Amino acid sequence: MASKLLNFGSKLFKKTTQLIINGAHNNRRSASTSARNWIEKHPKLLAFGTLTGAAGLLMFALDVSVEASSDLVHPPAQNWGHKGLLSAIDKEGVRRGYQVYKEVCSSCHSLQYIAYRNLAGVCLTEEEAKAEAEGITVQDGPDEEGNYYDRPGRLSDYLPRPYANEELGRSANNGAYPPDLSYIVSARKGGEDYVFALLTGYCEPPAGFALREGLYFNPYFSGGAIAMGKLIDNEVVSYADEEVAPSASQLAKDVVTFLVWASEPEGDLRKILLIKVTLISTFLIGITYYIKRLKWSALKSRKIFYLPELQEKASKAASKAASEAASSKNDNCKK
């Protein structure tokens, strides 16, 4: 594919260069001589411009082809509360989403970049996070004798993987390997809208759509056939808060909120830092502009003139003062 693109780019460059040079030669009467000379003297710059334009057109065509893809339904935009510069992520939703992940998703999908210390203060208290970490067994070592040993988990340990290796995961899921969910929201086009639509979009396949055994129909998945079954359903998880109904859409919303947080645990801190930097920079820029106007306005607006008459007059006055000083000195010496 890369070689085809390079060949296409080289052919397009040659044809464009030839057309421009031929056009410049054929229209000598109307075109300016400087423009023709510039084209002939700067072939590298012309080549760079041609390749840049071709690359831009290619990327635009690929993006349009993805947007207009017919093998999946594009997810509708949802009104997420954490979007926006002044909006923080829903911590209660993150806690409920972690419960959904732990009870439903963790049996197949991993979160290999999230440690138990990340959960403390957000999804769990520090004591709860320590208790959950101690519930797993981690192989550590080697010790002083060079042997590996098992120990209880710590806050610094990462969440365990459901499968020891990829081959074991594929064999347990009909050849499909469940992806890691640490950055799944950032890695999929559509973000949280796509993940929410995928979790709630299972339905019966249309007439004439053939599904292999072990696959399920989901119009939001490319191709329509997905190996993951419908796991998010009404009341598959019981919330401690009785005011929140564990419906399928609520469970999907909460687990997507948790995955948004997992993809960027420091997202709220970055927003706060951006607000602080913006406010401080605005204040400092205002002071800098005021000092610049105050200190440099006189230097920038001054004018220096050269007047020979004034210079000659000043030189005569200086020579006269020097002669008078010399004569007064001689008179003092005579006395």
mmCIF file of all heavy atoms in Angstrom, residues 295-321:
data_model
loop_
_atom_site.group_PDB
_atom_site.id
_atom_site.type_symbol
_atom_site.label_atom_id
_atom_site.label_comp_id
_atom_site.label_asym_id
_atom_site.label_seq_id
_atom_site.Cartn_x
_atom_site.Cartn_y
_atom_site.Cartn_z
ATOM 1 N N LYS A 295 7.404 52.367 29.329
ATOM 2 C CA LYS A 295 8.857 52.527 29.265
ATOM 3 C C LYS A 295 9.374 52.735 27.838
ATOM 4 O O LYS A 295 10.338 53.474 27.636
ATOM 5 C CB LYS A 295 9.539 51.294 29.870
ATOM 6 C CG LYS A 295 9.226 51.072 31.341
ATOM 7 C CD LYS A 295 9.799 52.192 32.203
ATOM 8 C CE LYS A 295 9.592 51.894 33.674
ATOM 9 N NZ LYS A 295 10.135 52.988 34.532
ATOM 10 N N TRP A 296 8.742 52.109 26.879
ATOM 11 C CA TRP A 296 9.289 52.112 25.534
ATOM 12 C C TRP A 296 8.570 53.051 24.578
ATOM 13 O O TRP A 296 8.987 53.187 23.435
ATOM 14 C CB TRP A 296 9.246 50.704 24.957
ATOM 15 C CG TRP A 296 10.191 49.764 25.633
ATOM 16 C CD1 TRP A 296 9.927 48.977 26.691
ATOM 17 C CD2 TRP A 296 11.561 49.552 25.299
ATOM 18 N NE1 TRP A 296 11.038 48.261 27.061
ATOM 19 C CE2 TRP A 296 12.065 48.593 26.205
ATOM 20 C CE3 TRP A 296 12.408 50.060 24.316
ATOM 21 C CZ2 TRP A 296 13.376 48.145 26.169
ATOM 22 C CZ3 TRP A 296 13.712 49.610 24.263
ATOM 23 C CH2 TRP A 296 14.191 48.670 25.190
ATOM 24 N N SER A 297 7.470 53.638 25.032
ATOM 25 C CA SER A 297 6.744 54.518 24.111
ATOM 26 C C SER A 297 7.586 55.728 23.719
ATOM 27 O O SER A 297 7.576 56.152 22.554
ATOM 28 C CB SER A 297 5.434 54.973 24.753
ATOM 29 O OG SER A 297 5.691 55.666 25.965
ATOM 30 N N ALA A 298 8.348 56.282 24.680
ATOM 31 C CA ALA A 298 9.177 57.448 24.357
ATOM 32 C C ALA A 298 10.305 57.075 23.401
ATOM 33 O O ALA A 298 10.635 57.834 22.483
ATOM 34 C CB ALA A 298 9.749 58.045 25.639
ATOM 35 N N LEU A 299 10.895 55.884 23.591
ATOM 36 C CA LEU A 299 11.982 55.466 22.716
ATOM 37 C C LEU A 299 11.485 55.126 21.319
ATOM 38 O O LEU A 299 12.160 55.393 20.327
ATOM 39 C CB LEU A 299 12.704 54.263 23.325
ATOM 40 C CG LEU A 299 13.396 54.517 24.669
ATOM 41 C CD1 LEU A 299 13.988 53.230 25.198
ATOM 42 C CD2 LEU A 299 14.482 55.582 24.520
ATOM 43 N N LYS A 300 10.309 54.543 21.242
ATOM 44 C CA LYS A 300 9.791 54.162 19.942
ATOM 45 C C LYS A 300 9.274 55.356 19.140
ATOM 46 O O LYS A 300 9.278 55.338 17.911
ATOM 47 C CB LYS A 300 8.658 53.139 20.106
ATOM 48 C CG LYS A 300 9.138 51.768 20.566
ATOM 49 C CD LYS A 300 7.993 50.777 20.594
ATOM 50 C CE LYS A 300 7.486 50.505 19.200
ATOM 51 N NZ LYS A 300 6.435 49.478 19.185
ATOM 52 N N SER A 301 8.819 56.403 19.842
ATOM 53 C CA SER A 301 8.224 57.542 19.148
ATOM 54 C C SER A 301 9.197 58.703 18.933
ATOM 55 O O SER A 301 8.809 59.706 18.333
ATOM 56 C CB SER A 301 6.999 58.045 19.923
ATOM 57 O OG SER A 301 7.379 58.448 21.234
ATOM 58 N N ARG A 302 10.423 58.629 19.427
ATOM 59 C CA ARG A 302 11.359 59.737 19.275
ATOM 60 C C ARG A 302 11.875 59.809 17.837
ATOM 61 O O ARG A 302 11.905 58.808 17.121
ATOM 62 C CB ARG A 302 12.533 59.596 20.240
ATOM 63 C CG ARG A 302 13.443 58.440 19.917
ATOM 64 C CD ARG A 302 14.614 58.385 20.869
ATOM 65 N NE ARG A 302 15.516 57.286 20.519
ATOM 66 C CZ ARG A 302 16.658 57.058 21.142
ATOM 67 N NH1 ARG A 302 17.047 57.847 22.141
ATOM 68 N NH2 ARG A 302 17.420 56.040 20.775
ATOM 69 N N LYS A 303 12.296 60.997 17.433
ATOM 70 C CA LYS A 303 12.837 61.231 16.108
ATOM 71 C C LYS A 303 14.188 61.921 16.227
ATOM 72 O O LYS A 303 14.348 62.863 17.001
ATOM 73 C CB LYS A 303 11.893 62.091 15.265
ATOM 74 C CG LYS A 303 10.574 61.399 14.943
ATOM 75 C CD LYS A 303 9.705 62.280 14.064
ATOM 76 C CE LYS A 303 8.396 61.585 13.729
ATOM 77 N NZ LYS A 303 7.531 62.430 12.854
ATOM 78 N N ILE A 304 15.145 61.476 15.456
ATOM 79 C CA ILE A 304 16.499 62.034 15.472
ATOM 80 C C ILE A 304 16.740 62.731 14.132
ATOM 81 O O ILE A 304 16.586 62.129 13.073
ATOM 82 C CB ILE A 304 17.538 60.932 15.708
ATOM 83 C CG1 ILE A 304 17.273 60.254 17.060
ATOM 84 C CG2 ILE A 304 18.952 61.512 15.668
ATOM 85 C CD1 ILE A 304 18.191 59.080 17.331
ATOM 86 N N PHE A 305 17.087 64.053 14.202
ATOM 87 C CA PHE A 305 17.335 64.847 12.996
ATOM 88 C C PHE A 305 18.801 65.246 12.953
ATOM 89 O O PHE A 305 19.419 65.530 13.991
ATOM 90 C CB PHE A 305 16.466 66.110 12.991
ATOM 91 C CG PHE A 305 14.989 65.819 12.936
ATOM 92 C CD1 PHE A 305 14.237 65.759 14.099
ATOM 93 C CD2 PHE A 305 14.363 65.622 11.723
ATOM 94 C CE1 PHE A 305 12.894 65.510 14.050
ATOM 95 C CE2 PHE A 305 13.010 65.360 11.672
ATOM 96 C CZ PHE A 305 12.267 65.308 12.837
ATOM 97 N N TYR A 306 19.349 65.322 11.743
ATOM 98 C CA TYR A 306 20.726 65.789 11.541
ATOM 99 C C TYR A 306 20.661 67.144 10.840
ATOM 100 O O TYR A 306 20.251 67.256 9.686
ATOM 101 C CB TYR A 306 21.518 64.796 10.692
ATOM 102 C CG TYR A 306 22.882 65.295 10.337
ATOM 103 C CD1 TYR A 306 23.872 65.439 11.309
ATOM 104 C CD2 TYR A 306 23.185 65.638 9.020
ATOM 105 C CE1 TYR A 306 25.124 65.899 10.971
ATOM 106 C CE2 TYR A 306 24.442 66.098 8.684
ATOM 107 C CZ TYR A 306 25.412 66.231 9.662
ATOM 108 O OH TYR A 306 26.642 66.698 9.345
ATOM 109 N N LEU A 307 21.040 68.210 11.586
ATOM 110 C CA LEU A 307 21.015 69.590 11.067
ATOM 111 C C LEU A 307 22.440 70.118 11.019
ATOM 112 O O LEU A 307 23.043 70.399 12.072
ATOM 113 C CB LEU A 307 20.141 70.479 11.952
ATOM 114 C CG LEU A 307 18.664 70.056 12.058
ATOM 115 C CD1 LEU A 307 17.933 70.966 13.035
ATOM 116 C CD2 LEU A 307 18.002 70.098 10.686
ATOM 117 N N PRO A 308 23.030 70.239 9.842
ATOM 118 C CA PRO A 308 24.419 70.734 9.739
ATOM 119 C C PRO A 308 24.591 72.132 10.306
ATOM 120 O O PRO A 308 25.649 72.457 10.860
ATOM 121 C CB PRO A 308 24.697 70.689 8.232
ATOM 122 C CG PRO A 308 23.691 69.728 7.677
ATOM 123 C CD PRO A 308 22.487 69.878 8.527
ATOM 124 N N GLU A 309 23.574 72.995 10.150
ATOM 125 C CA GLU A 309 23.703 74.369 10.653
ATOM 126 C C GLU A 309 23.893 74.385 12.165
ATOM 127 O O GLU A 309 24.766 75.096 12.705
ATOM 128 C CB GLU A 309 22.483 75.195 10.273
ATOM 129 C CG GLU A 309 22.266 75.380 8.778
ATOM 130 C CD GLU A 309 21.562 74.180 8.164
ATOM 131 O OE1 GLU A 309 21.212 73.249 8.930
ATOM 132 O OE2 GLU A 309 21.394 74.160 6.932
ATOM 133 N N LEU A 310 23.087 73.604 12.854
ATOM 134 C CA LEU A 310 23.212 73.560 14.312
ATOM 135 C C LEU A 310 24.545 72.958 14.733
ATOM 136 O O LEU A 310 25.157 73.409 15.719
ATOM 137 C CB LEU A 310 22.053 72.756 14.909
ATOM 138 C CG LEU A 310 20.650 73.346 14.713
ATOM 139 C CD1 LEU A 310 19.611 72.423 15.318
ATOM 140 C CD2 LEU A 310 20.553 74.732 15.343
ATOM 141 N N GLN A 311 25.006 71.970 13.999
ATOM 142 C CA GLN A 311 26.285 71.366 14.343
ATOM 143 C C GLN A 311 27.436 72.366 14.140
ATOM 144 O O GLN A 311 28.349 72.448 14.967
ATOM 145 C CB GLN A 311 26.509 70.110 13.498
ATOM 146 C CG GLN A 311 27.781 69.350 13.884
ATOM 147 C CD GLN A 311 27.953 68.102 13.060
ATOM 148 O OE1 GLN A 311 27.208 67.877 12.114
ATOM 149 N NE2 GLN A 311 28.948 67.280 13.430
ATOM 150 N N GLU A 312 27.363 73.113 13.042
ATOM 151 C CA GLU A 312 28.415 74.128 12.802
ATOM 152 C C GLU A 312 28.384 75.216 13.856
ATOM 153 O O GLU A 312 29.431 75.671 14.337
ATOM 154 C CB GLU A 312 28.204 74.716 11.401
ATOM 155 C CG GLU A 312 29.297 75.688 11.004
ATOM 156 C CD GLU A 312 29.078 76.238 9.612
ATOM 157 O OE1 GLU A 312 28.101 75.803 8.954
ATOM 158 O OE2 GLU A 312 29.895 77.083 9.201
ATOM 159 N N LYS A 313 27.189 75.649 14.240
ATOM 160 C CA LYS A 313 27.057 76.672 15.265
ATOM 161 C C LYS A 313 27.599 76.170 16.599
ATOM 162 O O LYS A 313 28.287 76.900 17.337
ATOM 163 C CB LYS A 313 25.600 77.063 15.391
ATOM 164 C CG LYS A 313 25.353 78.214 16.359
ATOM 165 C CD LYS A 313 23.878 78.583 16.364
ATOM 166 C CE LYS A 313 23.622 79.744 17.323
ATOM 167 N NZ LYS A 313 22.176 80.116 17.342
ATOM 168 N N ALA A 314 27.300 74.886 16.910
ATOM 169 C CA ALA A 314 27.783 74.323 18.168
ATOM 170 C C ALA A 314 29.300 74.194 18.146
ATOM 171 O O ALA A 314 29.967 74.439 19.169
ATOM 172 C CB ALA A 314 27.129 72.959 18.402
ATOM 173 N N SER A 315 29.883 73.828 16.998
ATOM 174 C CA SER A 315 31.344 73.710 16.921
ATOM 175 C C SER A 315 32.022 75.071 17.059
ATOM 176 O O SER A 315 33.073 75.190 17.709
ATOM 177 C CB SER A 315 31.741 73.035 15.608
ATOM 178 O OG SER A 315 31.304 73.830 14.505
ATOM 179 N N LYS A 316 31.412 76.117 16.468
ATOM 180 C CA LYS A 316 31.978 77.470 16.614
ATOM 181 C C LYS A 316 31.910 77.926 18.057
ATOM 182 O O LYS A 316 32.863 78.529 18.574
ATOM 183 C CB LYS A 316 31.232 78.456 15.712
ATOM 184 C CG LYS A 316 31.518 78.278 14.231
ATOM 185 C CD LYS A 316 30.762 79.316 13.416
ATOM 186 C CE LYS A 316 31.060 79.160 11.937
ATOM 187 N NZ LYS A 316 30.329 80.157 11.115
ATOM 188 N N ALA A 317 30.811 77.658 18.716
ATOM 189 C CA ALA A 317 30.689 78.050 20.117
ATOM 190 C C ALA A 317 31.703 77.314 20.967
ATOM 191 O O ALA A 317 32.314 77.895 21.891
ATOM 192 C CB ALA A 317 29.268 77.773 20.605
ATOM 193 N N ALA A 318 31.935 76.043 20.647
ATOM 194 C CA ALA A 318 32.898 75.269 21.422
ATOM 195 C C ALA A 318 34.311 75.788 21.195
ATOM 196 O O ALA A 318 35.108 75.890 22.149
ATOM 197 C CB ALA A 318 32.805 73.785 21.035
ATOM 198 N N SER A 319 34.650 76.110 19.958
ATOM 199 C CA SER A 319 35.995 76.639 19.682
ATOM 200 C C SER A 319 36.196 78.010 20.306
ATOM 201 O O SER A 319 37.283 78.327 20.815
ATOM 202 C CB SER A 319 36.219 76.709 18.165
ATOM 203 O OG SER A 319 35.250 77.570 17.568
ATOM 204 N N LYS A 320 35.139 78.842 20.312
ATOM 205 C CA LYS A 320 35.231 80.156 20.932
ATOM 206 C C LYS A 320 35.431 80.032 22.426
ATOM 207 O O LYS A 320 36.250 80.749 23.034
ATOM 208 C CB LYS A 320 33.956 80.937 20.625
ATOM 209 C CG LYS A 320 33.981 82.357 21.187
ATOM 210 C CD LYS A 320 32.705 83.088 20.804
ATOM 211 C CE LYS A 320 32.727 84.506 21.361
ATOM 212 N NZ LYS A 320 31.478 85.233 21.024
ATOM 213 N N ALA A 321 34.710 79.109 23.048
ATOM 214 C CA ALA A 321 34.861 78.897 24.487
ATOM 215 C C ALA A 321 36.260 78.382 24.799
ATOM 216 O O ALA A 321 36.863 78.765 25.813
ATOM 217 C CB ALA A 321 33.792 77.921 24.983
#
